[in-house]
């Protein structure tokens, strides 16, 4: 436990400079963009140059860049992400409304990708070079090559509009109807997860095949242990390191893919919030949404590091 605590403390400490770097990058990008909070605030009206100037002075938009950055970081430390120039509502409130849906979509897609990738990958490894392996390899190759948005459009065309099994868009709160929530989230989550599931399938297959060829597996099976026990207890535990690495890297794909998927299925999540903010020139909302996604990515990768420790005892002993 002491080794685990040391590793987690070290990894957590590394998050601080990474987070500060992300904050600085996002701030600088938004400062040099064409988005103008004053124009967004007066959208639909015809403000005079004096009114625009007054708004910029009142909100510190004319202060030197270092002053604005320090003020921005200070507000973040107090839990203040700013105010939407368009709607005059706290950015944190808007993110608090949109974030739960994106988290639901991301983790549902992640769960589908992990389950499908493990089942198909292990099956292909056990039946390597036989018919099940050949079929799974072809399916995974198609899945890797197929873009997620194209799969989403196909599902809408055939499963929603054609067969009517699922709605083509919209969102139902699980508190109102759990079955309705499952129906509205099924197609977005599946379309988001399939490319990652295909990649995991290929990586899991390779990792499990390598483990199955090792001496300890033959020894365990030769001593009378059932192959299912050997695969489940030893092979998978040792073979999951590489798939976990890929899974941690693909979390960014899930978060980025959620932006496109939410647009296709008309889901009011972080992706829709961010796209609308970009269209309307609302930089505070864009900053808040991007920072939230970045923090989520860093936290999920920290969780992946924890899984490393649980799966591979050698990492704990090395610490």
């Amino acid at each position: 436990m002491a080794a685990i605590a040391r590793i987690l403390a070290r990894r957590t400490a590394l998050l601080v400079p990474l987070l500060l770097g992300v904050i600085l990058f996002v701030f600088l990008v938004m400062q040099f963009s064409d988005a103008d909070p004053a124009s967004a605030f007066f959208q639909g009206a015809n403000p005079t140059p004096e009114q625009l100037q007054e708004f910029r002075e009142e909100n510190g938009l004319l202060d030197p860049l270092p002053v604005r950055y320090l003020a921005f970081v200070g507000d973040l430390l107090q839990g203040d992400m700013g105010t939407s120039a368009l709607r005059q509502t706290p950015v944190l409130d808007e993110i608090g409304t949109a974030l739960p849906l994106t988290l639901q979509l991301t983790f549902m897609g992640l769960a589908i990708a992990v389950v499908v990738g493990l089942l198909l990958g292990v099956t292909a490894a056990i039946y390597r070079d036989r018919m099940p392996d050949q079929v799974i390899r072809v399916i995974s190759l198609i899945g890797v090559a197929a873009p997620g948005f194209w799969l989403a459009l196909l599902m809408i065309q055939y499963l929603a509009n054609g067969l009517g099994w699922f709605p083509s868009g919209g969102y139902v709160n699980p508190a109102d109807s759990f079955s309705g929530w499952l129906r509205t989230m099924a197609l977005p989550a599946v379309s988001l997860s399939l490319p990652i599931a295909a990649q995991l399938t290929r990586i899991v297959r390779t990792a499990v095949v390598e483990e199955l060829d090792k001496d300890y597996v033959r020894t365990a099976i030769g001593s009378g242990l059932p192959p299912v026990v050997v695969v489940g207890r030893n092979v998978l535990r040792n073979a999951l390191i590489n798939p976990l690495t890929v899974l941690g890297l693909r979390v960014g794909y899930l978060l980025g893919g959620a932006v496109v998927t939410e647009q296709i299925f008309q889901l009011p999540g972080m992706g829709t919030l961010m796209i609308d903010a970009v269209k309307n020139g609302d930089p505070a909302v864009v900053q808040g949404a991007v920072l939230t996604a970045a923090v989520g990515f860093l936290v999920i990768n920290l969780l992946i590091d924890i899984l490393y420790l649980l799966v591979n005892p050698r990492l704990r002993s090395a610490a």
Side-chain angles (χ1 to χ4, degrees):
M1 293 300 295
I4 295 178
R6 284 197 302 271
I7 294 175
L8 290 181
R10 192 160 58 242
R11 300 287 170 85
T12 304
L14 288 175
L15 290 181
V16 177
L18 283 174
L19 188 56
L20 290 175
V22 169
I23 292 173
L24 177 60
F25 176 76
V26 172
F27 174 80
L28 291 177
V29 168
M30 294 309 303
Q31 295 303 311
F32 291 104
S33 70
D34 294 331
D36 184 11
S39 300
F41 177 77
F42 289 105
Q43 192 172 47
N46 293 313
T48 63
E50 291 75 15
Q51 289 176 313
L52 292 173
Q53 185 75 4
E54 182 181 358
F55 179 88
R56 295 186 180 109
E57 290 177 355
E58 290 178 352
N59 290 273
L61 300 177
L62 301 179
D63 294 338
L65 192 63
V67 175
R68 279 181 281 160
Y69 175 70
L70 292 176
F72 178 60
V73 174
D75 290 339
L76 286 178
L77 292 176
Q78 299 177 47
D80 182 9
M81 288 187 170
T83 302
S84 168
L86 182 64
R87 288 177 287 273
Q88 288 300 294
T89 55
V91 172
L92 200 59
D93 291 349
E94 298 200 12
I95 291 176
T97 301
L99 182 60
L101 189 149
T102 299
L103 291 179
Q104 293 167 25
L105 177 60
T106 299
F107 283 106
M108 185 180 290
L110 187 64
I112 294 173
V114 169
V115 171
V116 173
L118 284 177
L119 287 177
L120 294 184
V122 172
T123 302
I126 292 175
Y127 293 96
R128 66 175 128 170
D129 298 327
R130 286 180 275 176
M131 182 58 67
D133 181 27
Q134 300 296 340
V135 172
I136 291 173
R137 288 165 73 177
V138 171
I139 293 174
S140 64
L141 184 61
I142 295 173
V144 170
F149 72 88
W150 181 73
L151 294 173
L153 294 175
L154 284 182
M155 290 179 181
I156 291 175
Q157 177 68 30
Y158 294 104
L159 299 181
N161 296 336
L163 298 174
W165 291 351
F166 301 95
S168 60
Y171 175 71
V172 176
N173 194 304
D176 299 330
S177 172
F178 185 74
S179 61
W181 173 76
L182 281 178
R183 294 185 73 244
T184 56
M185 296 295 288
L187 293 187
V190 170
S191 66
L192 186 63
S193 67
L194 285 183
I196 297 179
Q199 293 179 19
L200 282 177
T201 297
R202 296 166 65 84
I203 295 168
V204 168
R205 178 196 179 277
T206 302
V208 173
V209 165
E210 291 177 355
E211 288 297 319
L212 289 174
D213 288 338
K214 291 183 177 178
D215 292 336
Y216 79 88
V217 176
R218 290 191 288 267
T219 302
I221 294 176
S223 64
L225 286 175
V228 174
V229 174
V230 176
V231 172
R233 181 187 301 173
N234 302 107
V235 173
L236 272 182
R237 188 182 185 92
N238 294 325
L240 283 180
I241 303 301
N242 288 337
L244 279 176
T245 303
V246 174
L247 192 62
L249 295 174
R250 300 312 289 172
V251 168
Y253 171 86
L254 283 171
L255 292 173
V259 175
V260 179
T261 303
E262 288 173 5
Q263 289 289 299
I264 294 175
F265 289 96
Q266 302 170 19
L267 299 174
M270 291 288 290
T272 301
L273 177 68
M274 193 183 307
I275 296 297
D276 289 345
V278 171
K279 289 179 179 178
N280 297 321
D282 200 343
V285 176
V286 177
Q287 282 183 160
V290 172
L291 283 176
T292 302
V295 171
F297 179 77
L298 294 176
V299 170
I300 291 175
N301 275 273
L302 178 61
L303 295 178
I304 296 294
D305 288 340
I306 296 174
L307 287 178
Y308 283 154
L309 300 177
L310 296 177
V311 170
N312 193 352
R314 287 173 293 183
L315 292 178
R316 299 196 295 268
S317 60

mmCIF file of all heavy atoms in Angstrom, residues 15 20-21 24 43 56 61 92 97-98 113 115 129 132 140 145-146 161 209 222 229 240 260 276 295 301 312:
data_model
loop_
_atom_site.group_PDB
_atom_site.id
_atom_site.type_symbol
_atom_site.label_atom_id
_atom_site.label_comp_id
_atom_site.label_asym_id
_atom_site.label_seq_id
_atom_site.Cartn_x
_atom_site.Cartn_y
_atom_site.Cartn_z
ATOM 1 N N LEU A 15 0.201 16.280 -12.218
ATOM 2 C CA LEU A 15 -0.986 16.894 -12.818
ATOM 3 C C LEU A 15 -0.975 18.409 -12.676
ATOM 4 O O LEU A 15 -1.555 19.109 -13.510
ATOM 5 C CB LEU A 15 -2.253 16.331 -12.155
ATOM 6 C CG LEU A 15 -2.616 14.881 -12.454
ATOM 7 C CD1 LEU A 15 -3.905 14.507 -11.740
ATOM 8 C CD2 LEU A 15 -2.763 14.649 -13.947
ATOM 9 N N LEU A 20 -1.658 23.586 -15.229
ATOM 10 C CA LEU A 20 -1.287 24.990 -15.415
ATOM 11 C C LEU A 20 -0.923 25.270 -16.879
ATOM 12 O O LEU A 20 -1.254 26.327 -17.428
ATOM 13 C CB LEU A 20 -0.114 25.351 -14.506
ATOM 14 C CG LEU A 20 -0.430 25.417 -13.006
ATOM 15 C CD1 LEU A 20 0.839 25.664 -12.207
ATOM 16 C CD2 LEU A 20 -1.465 26.495 -12.710
ATOM 17 N N GLY A 21 -0.248 24.324 -17.504
ATOM 18 C CA GLY A 21 0.085 24.487 -18.912
ATOM 19 C C GLY A 21 -1.150 24.514 -19.794
ATOM 20 O O GLY A 21 -1.238 25.316 -20.737
ATOM 21 N N LEU A 24 -2.879 27.904 -19.345
ATOM 22 C CA LEU A 24 -2.174 28.960 -20.074
ATOM 23 C C LEU A 24 -2.434 28.846 -21.573
ATOM 24 O O LEU A 24 -2.692 29.861 -22.250
ATOM 25 C CB LEU A 24 -0.676 28.874 -19.784
ATOM 26 C CG LEU A 24 0.214 29.880 -20.529
ATOM 27 C CD1 LEU A 24 -0.174 31.310 -20.176
ATOM 28 C CD2 LEU A 24 1.682 29.613 -20.208
ATOM 29 N N GLN A 43 -25.215 41.036 -28.967
ATOM 30 C CA GLN A 43 -25.694 40.349 -30.166
ATOM 31 C C GLN A 43 -27.187 40.619 -30.379
ATOM 32 O O GLN A 43 -27.992 40.516 -29.459
ATOM 33 C CB GLN A 43 -25.456 38.841 -30.058
ATOM 34 C CG GLN A 43 -25.647 38.090 -31.354
ATOM 35 C CD GLN A 43 -25.216 36.636 -31.224
ATOM 36 O OE1 GLN A 43 -25.584 35.971 -30.273
ATOM 37 N NE2 GLN A 43 -24.424 36.159 -32.168
ATOM 38 N N ARG A 56 -15.932 46.592 -22.410
ATOM 39 C CA ARG A 56 -14.583 46.033 -22.311
ATOM 40 C C ARG A 56 -13.846 46.558 -21.090
ATOM 41 O O ARG A 56 -13.118 45.815 -20.430
ATOM 42 C CB ARG A 56 -13.801 46.368 -23.592
ATOM 43 C CG ARG A 56 -14.384 45.710 -24.856
ATOM 44 C CD ARG A 56 -13.503 45.947 -26.065
ATOM 45 N NE ARG A 56 -14.072 45.324 -27.261
ATOM 46 C CZ ARG A 56 -14.603 46.000 -28.283
ATOM 47 N NH1 ARG A 56 -14.628 47.338 -28.253
ATOM 48 N NH2 ARG A 56 -15.088 45.362 -29.321
ATOM 49 N N LEU A 61 -11.273 43.666 -20.149
ATOM 50 C CA LEU A 61 -10.786 43.166 -21.426
ATOM 51 C C LEU A 61 -9.671 44.026 -22.004
ATOM 52 O O LEU A 61 -8.985 43.592 -22.943
ATOM 53 C CB LEU A 61 -11.948 43.076 -22.425
ATOM 54 C CG LEU A 61 -13.109 42.158 -22.026
ATOM 55 C CD1 LEU A 61 -14.211 42.211 -23.066
ATOM 56 C CD2 LEU A 61 -12.620 40.732 -21.828
ATOM 57 N N LEU A 92 -20.009 28.058 -15.163
ATOM 58 C CA LEU A 92 -20.036 26.832 -14.366
ATOM 59 C C LEU A 92 -21.431 26.214 -14.351
ATOM 60 O O LEU A 92 -21.568 24.981 -14.382
ATOM 61 C CB LEU A 92 -19.575 27.128 -12.934
ATOM 62 C CG LEU A 92 -19.102 25.933 -12.107
ATOM 63 C CD1 LEU A 92 -17.927 25.244 -12.776
ATOM 64 C CD2 LEU A 92 -18.730 26.370 -10.703
ATOM 65 N N THR A 97 -24.880 21.785 -16.365
ATOM 66 C CA THR A 97 -26.061 21.243 -17.042
ATOM 67 C C THR A 97 -25.672 20.300 -18.171
ATOM 68 O O THR A 97 -26.310 19.262 -18.377
ATOM 69 C CB THR A 97 -26.923 22.390 -17.603
ATOM 70 O OG1 THR A 97 -27.311 23.243 -16.528
ATOM 71 C CG2 THR A 97 -28.168 21.855 -18.286
ATOM 72 N N ALA A 98 -24.608 20.650 -18.909
ATOM 73 C CA ALA A 98 -24.230 19.870 -20.094
ATOM 74 C C ALA A 98 -23.308 18.694 -19.776
ATOM 75 O O ALA A 98 -23.358 17.660 -20.458
ATOM 76 C CB ALA A 98 -23.554 20.789 -21.113
ATOM 77 N N ALA A 113 -16.912 -0.400 -25.357
ATOM 78 C CA ALA A 113 -15.647 -0.684 -26.039
ATOM 79 C C ALA A 113 -14.826 -1.714 -25.264
ATOM 80 O O ALA A 113 -14.243 -2.635 -25.866
ATOM 81 C CB ALA A 113 -14.853 0.608 -26.203
ATOM 82 N N VAL A 115 -15.893 -4.041 -23.002
ATOM 83 C CA VAL A 115 -16.538 -5.363 -22.995
ATOM 84 C C VAL A 115 -16.385 -6.045 -24.355
ATOM 85 O O VAL A 115 -15.969 -7.212 -24.449
ATOM 86 C CB VAL A 115 -18.026 -5.226 -22.610
ATOM 87 C CG1 VAL A 115 -18.749 -6.551 -22.813
ATOM 88 C CG2 VAL A 115 -18.161 -4.772 -21.163
ATOM 89 N N ASP A 129 -6.017 -18.323 -35.749
ATOM 90 C CA ASP A 129 -5.824 -18.915 -37.075
ATOM 91 C C ASP A 129 -6.930 -19.888 -37.456
ATOM 92 O O ASP A 129 -6.791 -20.614 -38.452
ATOM 93 C CB ASP A 129 -4.459 -19.625 -37.181
ATOM 94 C CG ASP A 129 -3.307 -18.650 -36.978
ATOM 95 O OD1 ASP A 129 -3.458 -17.472 -37.368
ATOM 96 O OD2 ASP A 129 -2.272 -19.064 -36.420
ATOM 97 N N PRO A 132 -13.248 -18.574 -36.162
ATOM 98 C CA PRO A 132 -13.639 -17.425 -35.324
ATOM 99 C C PRO A 132 -12.606 -16.302 -35.334
ATOM 100 O O PRO A 132 -12.967 -15.120 -35.379
ATOM 101 C CB PRO A 132 -13.775 -18.040 -33.925
ATOM 102 C CG PRO A 132 -14.043 -19.482 -34.177
ATOM 103 C CD PRO A 132 -13.245 -19.830 -35.385
ATOM 104 N N SER A 140 -12.860 -6.489 -36.969
ATOM 105 C CA SER A 140 -12.085 -5.444 -36.284
ATOM 106 C C SER A 140 -11.393 -4.531 -37.289
ATOM 107 O O SER A 140 -11.271 -3.322 -37.052
ATOM 108 C CB SER A 140 -11.056 -6.081 -35.350
ATOM 109 O OG SER A 140 -10.101 -6.838 -36.077
ATOM 110 N N ALA A 145 -11.292 0.986 -39.611
ATOM 111 C CA ALA A 145 -11.310 1.852 -40.793
ATOM 112 C C ALA A 145 -12.546 2.740 -40.861
ATOM 113 O O ALA A 145 -12.514 3.791 -41.503
ATOM 114 C CB ALA A 145 -11.223 1.002 -42.063
ATOM 115 N N ALA A 146 -13.641 2.334 -40.217
ATOM 116 C CA ALA A 146 -14.903 3.064 -40.340
ATOM 117 C C ALA A 146 -14.934 4.248 -39.379
ATOM 118 O O ALA A 146 -14.773 4.061 -38.168
ATOM 119 C CB ALA A 146 -16.082 2.133 -40.050
ATOM 120 N N ASN A 161 -34.545 5.514 -38.533
ATOM 121 C CA ASN A 161 -35.543 5.892 -39.541
ATOM 122 C C ASN A 161 -36.144 4.690 -40.264
ATOM 123 O O ASN A 161 -37.335 4.671 -40.573
ATOM 124 C CB ASN A 161 -34.904 6.840 -40.569
ATOM 125 C CG ASN A 161 -34.467 8.153 -39.944
ATOM 126 O OD1 ASN A 161 -34.999 8.558 -38.908
ATOM 127 N ND2 ASN A 161 -33.492 8.823 -40.543
ATOM 128 N N VAL A 209 -2.324 -13.753 -27.156
ATOM 129 C CA VAL A 209 -1.569 -14.773 -27.898
ATOM 130 C C VAL A 209 -0.146 -14.866 -27.367
ATOM 131 O O VAL A 209 0.395 -15.972 -27.184
ATOM 132 C CB VAL A 209 -1.582 -14.441 -29.411
ATOM 133 C CG1 VAL A 209 -0.512 -15.258 -30.145
ATOM 134 C CG2 VAL A 209 -2.948 -14.735 -30.007
ATOM 135 N N GLY A 222 -0.868 -28.079 -18.021
ATOM 136 C CA GLY A 222 -0.378 -29.449 -17.888
ATOM 137 C C GLY A 222 -0.540 -30.008 -16.490
ATOM 138 O O GLY A 222 -0.659 -31.224 -16.301
ATOM 139 N N VAL A 229 -9.653 -21.108 -16.118
ATOM 140 C CA VAL A 229 -9.083 -20.532 -14.906
ATOM 141 C C VAL A 229 -7.733 -19.891 -15.214
ATOM 142 O O VAL A 229 -7.422 -18.782 -14.747
ATOM 143 C CB VAL A 229 -8.936 -21.615 -13.816
ATOM 144 C CG1 VAL A 229 -8.212 -21.037 -12.601
ATOM 145 C CG2 VAL A 229 -10.302 -22.150 -13.422
ATOM 146 N N LEU A 240 -3.184 -7.392 -19.971
ATOM 147 C CA LEU A 240 -3.987 -6.169 -20.018
ATOM 148 C C LEU A 240 -3.163 -4.885 -19.982
ATOM 149 O O LEU A 240 -3.739 -3.803 -20.075
ATOM 150 C CB LEU A 240 -4.982 -6.160 -18.850
ATOM 151 C CG LEU A 240 -6.209 -7.057 -19.002
ATOM 152 C CD1 LEU A 240 -7.101 -6.950 -17.771
ATOM 153 C CD2 LEU A 240 -7.000 -6.679 -20.241
ATOM 154 N N VAL A 260 -18.803 15.519 -31.898
ATOM 155 C CA VAL A 260 -19.453 15.238 -33.181
ATOM 156 C C VAL A 260 -20.718 14.409 -32.969
ATOM 157 O O VAL A 260 -21.762 14.669 -33.575
ATOM 158 C CB VAL A 260 -18.472 14.507 -34.119
ATOM 159 C CG1 VAL A 260 -19.139 14.182 -35.448
ATOM 160 C CG2 VAL A 260 -17.226 15.342 -34.339
ATOM 161 N N ASP A 276 -21.983 25.685 -29.995
ATOM 162 C CA ASP A 276 -22.844 26.871 -29.959
ATOM 163 C C ASP A 276 -22.065 28.100 -29.485
ATOM 164 O O ASP A 276 -22.266 29.214 -29.995
ATOM 165 C CB ASP A 276 -24.044 26.627 -29.037
ATOM 166 C CG ASP A 276 -25.039 25.640 -29.631
ATOM 167 O OD1 ASP A 276 -24.953 25.382 -30.849
ATOM 168 O OD2 ASP A 276 -25.887 25.120 -28.877
ATOM 169 N N VAL A 295 -9.279 18.681 -18.059
ATOM 170 C CA VAL A 295 -9.196 18.138 -16.700
ATOM 171 C C VAL A 295 -9.741 16.714 -16.665
ATOM 172 O O VAL A 295 -9.169 15.821 -16.022
ATOM 173 C CB VAL A 295 -9.956 19.042 -15.716
ATOM 174 C CG1 VAL A 295 -10.064 18.376 -14.353
ATOM 175 C CG2 VAL A 295 -9.254 20.383 -15.577
ATOM 176 N N ASN A 301 -6.807 9.590 -17.137
ATOM 177 C CA ASN A 301 -5.498 8.959 -17.284
ATOM 178 C C ASN A 301 -4.878 8.621 -15.937
ATOM 179 O O ASN A 301 -4.137 7.631 -15.819
ATOM 180 C CB ASN A 301 -4.565 9.868 -18.082
ATOM 181 C CG ASN A 301 -4.725 9.694 -19.572
ATOM 182 O OD1 ASN A 301 -4.097 8.839 -20.178
ATOM 183 N ND2 ASN A 301 -5.589 10.499 -20.161
ATOM 184 N N ASN A 312 -0.735 -4.965 -12.569
ATOM 185 C CA ASN A 312 0.657 -5.398 -12.674
ATOM 186 C C ASN A 312 1.402 -5.194 -11.363
ATOM 187 O O ASN A 312 1.815 -4.064 -11.056
ATOM 188 C CB ASN A 312 1.351 -4.624 -13.793
ATOM 189 C CG ASN A 312 2.703 -5.237 -14.156
ATOM 190 O OD1 ASN A 312 3.194 -6.140 -13.481
ATOM 191 N ND2 ASN A 312 3.295 -4.734 -15.224
#
